[in-house]
Each structure stands twice: as structure tokens, then as C-alpha cells.
């Protein structure tokens, strides 16, 4: 069946370093969404990408959708302690459901 | 902003009990979903509903049922709780169509002893 895979599963970075998480789908996606879940919290919708090759920015976060619409990435520049959490990508599946990747857990070392 | 409210943040139940997890949304959204979240397994869809009285099985419906008598309320029912249902349960809703993100409730951490 359709799968959405994320790498890496965990990432430790020094505060101030950059961070990137990658998302790959087994099928072409009409769109891809990104969510952030703080420790002890619930996932919060960040952004949606729709167009092939699309790049969107939210302050220090840069989101990209691949040309083939089968992969995506989230890049954080100069990480801060507030960036700690798990980042999920998600793509549409059958019956209008959304399929989530398993997430990348980001740890920031002070 | 859309608000999704789950009635309990933490819950402890005994094996064999019938458990009700309640979720209420304050918008007139058709779509509502129940997920469970476990370490290493990510978010897994249990049940979803696109309208009142309507329900569809997700990927892991065994041991669960749902009720949607009113548009704003979507309840998850554990018919006979078991220890392997200890988990974080998340309710979510979103606007119809694939181009809208989910709004999640704050979750219910259920422990079955």
C-alpha cells in the first residue's frame, strides 16, 4: 500500500546548527503537509505544499516539494531550543485520508 | 481558530472496562478522525467519519467502535479495554478535501491496568 517514509528517525544537533528532515512517498502526491509536535503536545499543522518544485518559508523553516511530487524536505536554519519536537510529513491517501510519516524527532543540545 | 476538545487528558482504566473517549469540535466540519500514537509506530488511524451517523474503519479498528450522533461530537469506544490499548489517543478534524490540514485535540493518554 501507499507509504510515506521519513528520515532520519532521530536527529541531535547543537543549538545554532541547521537541521533537515526528508520525506519520501511511494506514489505521486497531490500535496504534502508538515506538522510539528512538541514533547507532551499534539501535532500542529505547519504548512501545505501543492505545486511541483514549490518552496515555502516560515521564518527559519524552509519547506520544499520535489519536482516529481514524491518527496519533500523541511530545513531549519540555526536551530533554537524552541525547535525541539517531532516533525511529521503527511500526504493524501485513499478515501481522502491522510497518511502520516513516522516523524523525525529533533533534539537540541545546548 | 478551530478548536478540538478531548474530554480527558489522562485516564486510567481497568482491563475489561468499557471506555468512552469524547471529542468535540467547535466548527461545522464534516470530517473527524481518531488516531492512536505509539512510540516507533507513529500515528495510526482507528476510525473516521465524514458525516453524522457515518463511520469508516481506519487501519487498526479492532477492539474499537465509534459513535457520531451529532456533527460536533465523535466518540471512540473501547468495548473491553486491554493493556495493549494503552496509548495516546488523538482526535482530529479538518475541512473536506485533501488540501486542508488536520486540527488535533490535545490528546488523551489512556493507561489500561
Amino acid at each position: 500500500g501507499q507509504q510515506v517514509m521519513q528520515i532520519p528517525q532521530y536527529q541531535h544537533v547543537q543549538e545554532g546548527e541547521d537541521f533537515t528532515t526528508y520525506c519520501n512517498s511511494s506514489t505521486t502526491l497531490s500535496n504534502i503537509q508538515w506538522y510539528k509536535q512538541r514533547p507532551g503536545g499534539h501535532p500542529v499543522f505547519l504548512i501545505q505544499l501543492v505545486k511541483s518544485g514549490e518552496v515555502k518559508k516560515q521564518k527559519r523553516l524552509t519547506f520544499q516539494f520535489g519536482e516529481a511530487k514524491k518527496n519533500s524536505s523541511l530545513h531549519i536554519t540555526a536551530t533554537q531550543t524552541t525547535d525541539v519536537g517531532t516533525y511529521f510529513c503527511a500526504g493524501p491517501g485513499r478515501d481522502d485520508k491522510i497518511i502520516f510519516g513516522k516523524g523525525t524527532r529533533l533534539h537540541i543540545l545546548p | 481558530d478551530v478548536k478540538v476538545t478531548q474530554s480527558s487528558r489522562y485516564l486510567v482504566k481497568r482491563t475489561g472496562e468499557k471506555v468512552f473517549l469524547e471529542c468535540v469540535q467547535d466548527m461545522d466540519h464534516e470530517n473527524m478522525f481518531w488516531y492512536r500514537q505509539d512510540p516507533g509506530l507513529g500515528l495510526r488511524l482507528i476510525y473516521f467519519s465524514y458525516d453524522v451517523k457515518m463511520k469508516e474503519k481506519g487501519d487498526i479498528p479492532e477492539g474499537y467502535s465509534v459513535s457520531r450522533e451529532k456533527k460536533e461530537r465523535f466518540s471512540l469506544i473501547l468495548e473491553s479495554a486491554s493493556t495493549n490499548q494503552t496509548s495516546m489517543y488523538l482526535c482530529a478534524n479538518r475541512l473536506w478535501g485533501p488540501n486542508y490540514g488536520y486540527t488535533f485535540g490535545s490528546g488523551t493518554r489512556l493507561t489500561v491496568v
Side-chain angles (χ1 to χ4, degrees):
Chain A
Q2 183 181 357
Q3 290 186 1
V4 174
M5 291 155 289
Q6 266 185 273
I7 53 169
Q9 191 175 358
Y10 301 96
Q11 184 83 57
H12 292 79
V13 300
Q14 207 77 36
E15 188 176 4
E17 289 183 343
D18 293 357
F19 159 77
T20 305
T21 173
Y22 300 91
C23 183
N24 293 289
S25 169
S26 56
T27 60
T28 302
L29 301 170
S30 59
N31 66 81
I32 194 150
Q33 299 176 356
W34 285 92
Y35 293 78
K36 177 184 178 181
Q37 183 174 20
R38 295 181 185 274
H42 57 276
V44 174
F45 175 71
L46 293 177
I47 205 163
Q48 177 175 268
L49 305 172
V50 178
K51 298 177 186 173
S52 169
E54 188 170 13
V55 178
K56 284 189 176 180
K57 293 195 174 193
Q58 288 180 351
K59 297 184 181 177
R60 294 177 295 104
L61 277 61
T62 302
F63 304 85
Q64 286 190 296
F65 201 9
E67 294 289 340
K69 301 183 79 172
K70 292 181 75 172
N71 57 69
S72 181
S73 64
L74 158 59
H75 179 83
I76 303 178
T77 304
T79 54
Q80 299 175 0
T81 54
T82 52
D83 296 325
V84 164
T86 302
Y87 294 86
F88 295 94
C89 64
R94 289 186 304 110
D95 302 325
D96 211 34
K97 292 183 289 186
I98 290 179
I99 299 173
F100 286 86
K102 291 188 177 177
T104 296
R105 185 178 294 180
L106 173 62
H107 296 267
I108 308 284
L109 304 169
Chain B
D1 281 353
V2 176
K3 197 166 184 181
V4 177
T5 303
Q6 292 184 235
S7 54
S8 304
R9 188 77 175 96
Y10 299 95
L11 216 50
V12 180
K13 295 291 181 180
R14 293 195 181 279
T15 300
E17 275 193 77
K18 191 168 185 176
V19 181
F20 292 85
L21 303 183
E22 305 288 342
C23 176
V24 177
Q25 53 143 334
D26 67 351
M27 297 289 284
D28 198 31
H29 291 176
E30 288 90 3
N31 298 2
M32 295 187 79
F33 304 81
W34 274 106
Y35 284 86
R36 64 177 282 178
Q37 185 176 31
D38 302 286
L41 297 177
L43 289 152
R44 293 183 291 167
L45 181 62
I46 306 171
Y47 265 96
F48 60 102
S49 169
Y50 289 156
D51 206 347
V52 176
K53 305 269 186 192
M54 179 269 181
K55 58 186 178 186
E56 290 285 344
K57 292 180 180 179
D59 300 319
I60 52 162
E62 296 77 20
Y64 303 94
S65 63
V66 289
S67 170
R68 193 160 183 203
E69 296 295 319
K70 293 184 178 181
K71 199 172 194 178
E72 67 269 19
R73 188 180 297 270
F74 190 36
S75 303
L76 180 69
I77 304 159
L78 285 66
E79 298 292 341
S80 176
S82 63
T83 53
N84 64 13
Q85 292 178 310
T86 292
S87 186
M88 169 67 87
Y89 289 89
L90 290 158
C91 176
N93 76 354
R94 67 180 170 94
L95 293 174
W96 181 261
N99 295 323
Y100 297 95
Y102 280 135
T103 298
F104 283 89
S106 53
T108 296
R109 186 164 293 282
L110 173 67
T111 303
V112 183
V113 297

